């Protein structure tokens, strides 16, 4: 039965899906140092404390200035496998039964890393994770601060790996890089059978205009972050009518927006029926995995056990899996709640 109040234990055991996590953002300091040594990469840090000292951000741009250089340690197919497997094991420990994970091939290709190393390494981890009960899929991202031509080239290069990629996303620095810049590659991605989503990062310049473009012109199936939508009631109503998911990430919100988890926005959207879910974004950089994000929200706001359960159900309902698979996971949630004794 539902507990009288939310606990970390209840959250961790609750079956859930993670729909917004960047695999490169799960690169923990220990693994970063290990791979740097293995691949003879000088990252300018030699201890975990040195690495952690660089993790201070006041904006999306300042975060990305740390995030992208950290990827230099990823050089071989086994590096990408090890990174993804480390995340999947942590996610499993925090109740994740299904995950759809972002990855950024362009950030590796421009460093001279072959595309097949990236995709095959990540994909093999997805396959092997089935052994401990987690269903994992890949979402390939276009970097929005690169050209639309580059995105198109990536889409073409990824054709041999089509069966290993579930969907296409747009991420990275949003200013001067609106969704419409990428209308052509996204149209082609839809023609090729991919699911599509886009980042609408919190409190960016032209946030509402970019959300409108993503929803009304590109016709995304989910919206990543996206809580600025509360500024426009018409768009909120439209998302609600479409039953379209919003993937919110409280801990990254807090660090990027100067101590605002966006909890009020998340709970307001939840209360009116919007399919908002809780996710970890870049957990190695923002201080917590998915259950930590649920707990941060529950700790700072008056969140009920019923709302926690609904957030988990939203994560299942807005995933890109079959109706039958969704029903099985939703039944797992109901069974967990029914049998919970805490």
């Amino acid at each position: 039965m539902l507990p009288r109040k939310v606990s970390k234990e209840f959250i961790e055991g609750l079956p859930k899906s993670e729909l917004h996590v960047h695999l490169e953002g799960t690169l923990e300091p220990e693994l970063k140092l290990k791979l740097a040594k293995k691949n003879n990469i000088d990252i300018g840090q030699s201890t975990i404390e040195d690495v952690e000292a660089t993790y201070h951000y006041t904006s999306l741009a300042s975060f990305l200035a740390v995030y992208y250089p950290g990827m230099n340690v990823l050089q071989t197919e086994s590096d990408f496998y090890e990174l993804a497997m480390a995340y999947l094991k942590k996610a499993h420990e925090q109740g994740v039964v299904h995950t759809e994970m972002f990855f950024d091939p362009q950030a590796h290709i421009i460093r001279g890393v072959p595309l097949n190393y990236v995709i095959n390494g990540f994909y093999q981890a997805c396959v092997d994770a089935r052994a401990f009960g987690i269903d994992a899929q890949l979402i390939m991202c276009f970097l929005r601060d690169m050209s639309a031509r580059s995105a198109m080239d990536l889409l073409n290069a990824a054709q041999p790996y089509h069966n290993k990629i579930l969907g296409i996303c747009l991420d990275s620095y949003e200013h001067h890089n609106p969704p419409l810049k990428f209308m052509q590659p996204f149209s082609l991605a839809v023609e090729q059978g991919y699911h599509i989503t886009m980042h609408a990062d919190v409190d960016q310049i032209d946030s509402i205009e970019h959300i409108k473009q993503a929803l009304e012109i590109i016709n995304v199936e989910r919206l990543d972050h996206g809580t600025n939508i509360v500024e426009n009631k018409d768009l909120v109503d439209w998302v609600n009518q479409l039953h379209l998911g919003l993937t919110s990430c409280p801990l990254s919100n807090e660090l990027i927006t100067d101590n605002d988890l966006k909890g009020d926005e998340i709970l307001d959207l939840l209360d009116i029926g919007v399919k908002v879910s809780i996710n970890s974004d870049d957990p190695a950089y923002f201080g917590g995995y998915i259950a930590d994000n649920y707990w941060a929200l529950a700790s700072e706001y008056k969140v009920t056990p019923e709302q926690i359960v609904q957030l988990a159900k939203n994560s299942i309902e807005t995933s890109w899996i079959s109706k039958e698979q969704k029903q099985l996971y939703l039944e797992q949630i109901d069974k967990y709640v029914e049998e919970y004794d805490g």
Side-chain angles (χ1 to χ4, degrees), residues 244-258:
L244 187 143
L246 271 64
T247 63
S248 191
C249 309
L251 290 177
S252 72
N253 291 344
E254 183 178 42
L255 286 174
I256 295 299
T257 63
D258 192 23

Side-chain angles (χ1 to χ4, degrees), residues 9 33 41 59 69 74 93 152 170 180-181 185 191 225 269 281 295 302 304 315 317:
E9 178 191 49
L33 291 171
I41 304 293
S59 67
L74 298 165
E93 291 169 359
M152 190 70 78
L170 184 66
L180 275 178
K181 174 182 172 182
E191 288 179 17
H225 297 299
L269 290 166
D281 202 358
W295 181 239
K302 293 180 179 178
T304 67
S315 74
E317 292 169 352

Side-chain angles (χ1 to χ4, degrees), residues 76-196:
T76 69
E77 185 173 318
S78 66
D79 295 342
F80 292 98
Y81 174 88
E82 188 171 1
L83 174 64
M85 186 55 71
Y87 158 72
L88 288 165
K89 288 177 179 178
K90 288 187 178 74
H92 175 64
E93 291 169 359
Q94 297 203 356
V96 173
V97 293
H98 172 77
T99 180
E100 298 168 11
M101 309 172 294
F102 300 131
F103 69 108
D104 291 314
Q106 289 155 299
H108 308 298
I109 293 170
I110 60 174
R111 299 187 290 109
V113 177
L115 180 62
N116 65 300
Y117 285 10
V118 182
I119 295 177
N120 289 337
F122 283 154
Y123 182 75
Q124 190 58 50
C126 294
V127 173
D128 291 350
R130 297 170 192 164
F132 51 86
I134 185 167
D135 175 52
Q137 303 286 341
L138 296 173
I139 299 176
M140 186 173 74
C141 296
F142 300 145
L143 298 180
R144 68 199 307 160
D145 42 6
M146 296 183 71
S147 69
R149 179 70 261 174
S150 176
M152 190 70 78
D153 289 344
L154 173 60
L155 190 63
N156 291 331
Q159 282 187 341
Y161 311 98
H162 192 290
N163 66 332
K164 298 178 178 179
I165 300 169
L166 180 64
I168 303 296
C169 178
L170 184 66
D171 67 1
S172 199
Y173 192 49
E174 192 165 335
H175 189 34
H176 297 309
N177 297 299
L180 275 178
K181 174 182 172 182
F182 296 91
M183 184 171 183
Q184 186 177 3
F186 270 89
S187 295
L188 182 58
V190 172
E191 288 179 17
Q192 293 180 356
Y194 291 109
H195 294 281
I196 59 169

